[in-house]
Amino acid sequence: MELLPQFGSIFMTLLAFVVALSIIVAIHEYGHYIIGRLSGIRAEVFSLGFGPVLVSRVDKHGTRWQLAALPFGGYVKFLGDSDAASGKDGAAISHLSDADRRMTMHGAPLWARSATVAAGPVFNFILSILIFGALFFARGDVAYPLTVDQMRPLPPSYAQLEQGDQVLRIGGVPLPEDETASFDGFDEALPREKALDYDIIRDGSETTVPGPYPYPPLITQLAPNSAAYDIGLKVGDVIETIDGTEIFAFEQLKDRVEASNGAPLALTVWREGVADPLDFVLAPRRVDEPQAEGGFRTEWRIGIAGGMAFEPGTESVGPLAALSNGVSTTWRIAESSISGLYHMITGAISTCNMTGPIGIAQTSGAMASQGAVSFIWFVAALSTAVGLLNLFPIPVLDGGHLVFFGYEAIAGKPPSDTALRILMGAGLTLILSVMIFALTNDVFCP
């Protein structure tokens, strides 16, 4: 019975991982399938999962759609393929008519093969863009003038505002009046006091009331597998003291963590619905963070993000603005991933930044435990990573096939079957080596 909670956690982690992976793989393989079909290439099998087939049916196009027992991937097998990796079945193709050979991956025109292969990663990017855009569209953007939608739960010692208050100034510092103004430097200009005077408009009249420091040490986001996550801190917790010293600003918490040099910190935490303060001890961890100007910087972090003491009012955004946000978010994730890989190869940052299947599964479960929005965001981020990975010019990956097609376009003929076998074997060896290395990181990296 004592093992049941742990078993439940493991089960939910695996379930979240399988759901996330299945969505991403299904979209990736559907990209291959639909563009291949539209290009005149016949798909014989569309499989979600590997191993024994659990359920299957054949559609009007002659494609068998199946769900297999091992839900850790999927594939599309086209006419003339010898395996799920689109190896060439020379014997089978040699017995096909010219018309049927045109419907194979290996007998189709170069443009059709290239489009079909590229469609998998492209569909992953489209999925990411649509999800990020939809989340931004549903959430909306901050409305101006800044208005209190609702107060976040805070300890009784914090002053409160009321829903509908329009904030003009905090501690004498004016707020931006519209979206064209900037919040840069606003936090630094505020007096460092737990309670500040808020100049507001309430019920149509301007008045001054006491309110909380606008950026309290409140956890609004929690990074999976971080120091804070591992010791049981939760979204909504408010850190009241560090090593016995009271804090009321998130910046105070950030300063203490960065100056810790990894030494353990004793925290007193207020949690809504819990009568007495909770005590925690955690040691900050070294984290390599991407910088806006490029590159990485190593910092001490505990894995939390903060926010304002109240939920600001929002206004709806248009579909184009939401889509633009989806594109920019997807681009930032891809750019950061490439930069991180480069800096790991050059030794500028730790190779422990590379996560394997165990780490991805743990992150899936952690994001799912924080709610549907967090999990959906993670699916979009992982879809970007999968699309990017498949574009790497490594044989057996989509990017490797595109390199072969590029060679064919320049040389006027494809690489020989012998060369392809050697290169595919080398590519598979490289991929397996990287997977083993990443799995080792999951087990041994702190």
Side-chain angles (χ1 to χ4, degrees):
M1 293 297 294
E2 292 177 355
L3 292 174
L4 283 179
Q6 183 177 1
F7 175 79
S9 176
I10 294 173
F11 175 77
M12 289 304 298
T13 295
L14 288 175
L15 179 62
F17 177 58
V18 168
V19 170
L21 186 64
S22 296
I23 293 171
I24 293 167
V25 168
I27 292 296
H28 181 96
E29 297 302 333
Y30 186 77
H32 290 316
Y33 161 78
I34 191 63
I35 299 302
R37 200 186 85 187
L38 294 175
S39 301
I41 302 174
R42 177 184 169 189
E44 293 186 316
V45 179
F46 186 110
S47 180
L48 191 57
F50 297 94
V53 177
L54 302 178
V55 180
S56 70
R57 75 173 185 87
V58 178
D59 67 12
K60 64 181 181 180
H61 301 287
T63 302
R64 178 176 297 279
W65 297 75
Q66 64 185 38
L67 182 65
L70 301 176
F72 299 109
Y75 62 92
V76 176
K77 182 178 179 296
F78 292 102
L79 179 66
D81 289 351
S82 61
D83 50 43
S86 290
K88 183 178 180 180
D89 188 346
I93 292 177
S94 65
H95 293 90
L96 296 176
S97 65
D98 290 343
D100 288 341
R101 190 175 295 112
R102 166 60 181 83
M103 292 189 293
T104 69
M105 176 64 83
H106 307 279
L110 183 59
W111 68 265
R113 285 177 280 147
S114 300
T116 300
V117 169
V122 168
F123 270 53
N124 280 132
F125 296 138
I126 292 174
L127 174 64
S128 299
I129 291 169
L130 292 178
I131 290 179
F132 288 135
L135 291 175
F136 183 64
F137 183 80
R139 184 182 68 240
D141 205 359
V142 175
Y144 292 89
L146 189 66
T147 303
V148 178
D149 184 51
Q150 62 180 8
M151 289 296 298
R152 289 190 167 109
L154 294 172
S157 60
Y158 283 76
Q160 299 285 304
L161 299 173
E162 294 182 6
Q163 186 177 24
D165 288 345
Q166 290 185 4
V167 183
L168 304 177
R169 290 170 294 275
I170 301 177
V173 181
L175 269 74
E177 297 179 357
D178 56 54
E179 62 273 11
T180 62
S182 173
F183 269 92
D184 292 345
F186 175 74
D187 189 20
E188 289 79 0
L190 289 172
R192 279 287 195 268
E193 298 175 12
K194 187 172 183 179
L196 296 172
D197 286 337
Y198 278 65
D199 296 324
I200 64 170
I201 296 177
R202 179 181 291 176
D203 299 327
S205 301
E206 185 171 336
T207 185
T208 300
V209 298
Y213 189 82
Y215 302 102
L218 165 72
I219 301 176
T220 59
Q221 294 179 357
L222 192 62
N225 308 320
S226 62
Y229 181 87
D230 288 347
I231 67 167
L233 290 177
K234 296 182 178 181
V235 171
D237 286 350
V238 178
I239 299 172
E240 296 188 291
T241 70
I242 301 178
D243 292 335
T245 302
E246 182 184 20
I247 63 170
F248 56 84
F250 193 88
E251 196 66 23
Q252 293 173 314
L253 169 63
K254 184 172 178 286
D255 291 342
R256 292 294 299 273
V257 169
E258 290 179 346
S260 69
N261 202 34
L265 302 173
L267 310 179
T268 301
V269 174
W270 177 87
R271 180 173 294 172
E272 186 182 18
V274 178
D276 298 321
L278 304 175
D279 294 322
F280 295 91
V281 176
L282 85 170
R285 299 173 183 172
R286 295 179 69 95
V287 176
D288 297 309
E289 294 184 341
Q291 302 300 298
E293 64 275 10
F296 285 74
R297 186 171 66 193
T298 300
E299 298 282 4
W300 293 100
R301 294 286 185 259
I302 60 175
I304 67 173
M308 299 194 77
F310 55 87
E311 293 275 5
T314 59
E315 57 186 4
S316 60
V317 297
L320 290 180
L323 192 63
S324 175
N325 180 271
V327 171
S328 61
T329 303
T330 301
W331 177 262
R332 285 197 303 271
I333 292 174
E335 187 178 42
S336 177
S337 299
I338 293 173
S339 177
L341 181 61
Y342 170 78
H343 283 83
M344 277 189 284
I345 292 174
T346 60
I349 62 175
S350 171
T351 55
C352 283
N353 285 282
M354 180 178 290
T355 302
I358 295 177
I360 295 173
Q362 290 173 334
T363 303
S364 302
M367 296 299 279
S369 70
Q370 296 183 47
V373 172
S374 294
F375 180 68
I376 292 171
W377 190 96
F378 171 73
V379 170
L382 187 59
S383 183
T384 301
V386 169
L388 183 64
L389 172 65
N390 273 277
L391 284 179
F392 285 178
I394 300 174
V396 310
L397 296 181
D398 294 331
H401 287 286
L402 292 175
V403 170
F404 295 151
F405 296 154
Y407 171 85
E408 182 177 347
I410 295 172
K413 61 179 181 179
S416 68
D417 291 345
T418 301
L420 284 175
R421 281 195 298 269
I422 293 173
L423 290 172
M424 295 288 276
L428 182 59
T429 301
L430 177 60
I431 292 296
L432 290 176
S433 299
V434 172
M435 288 181 63
I436 292 172
F437 178 77
L439 186 61
T440 303
N441 282 355
D442 290 341
V443 175
F444 295 106
C445 282

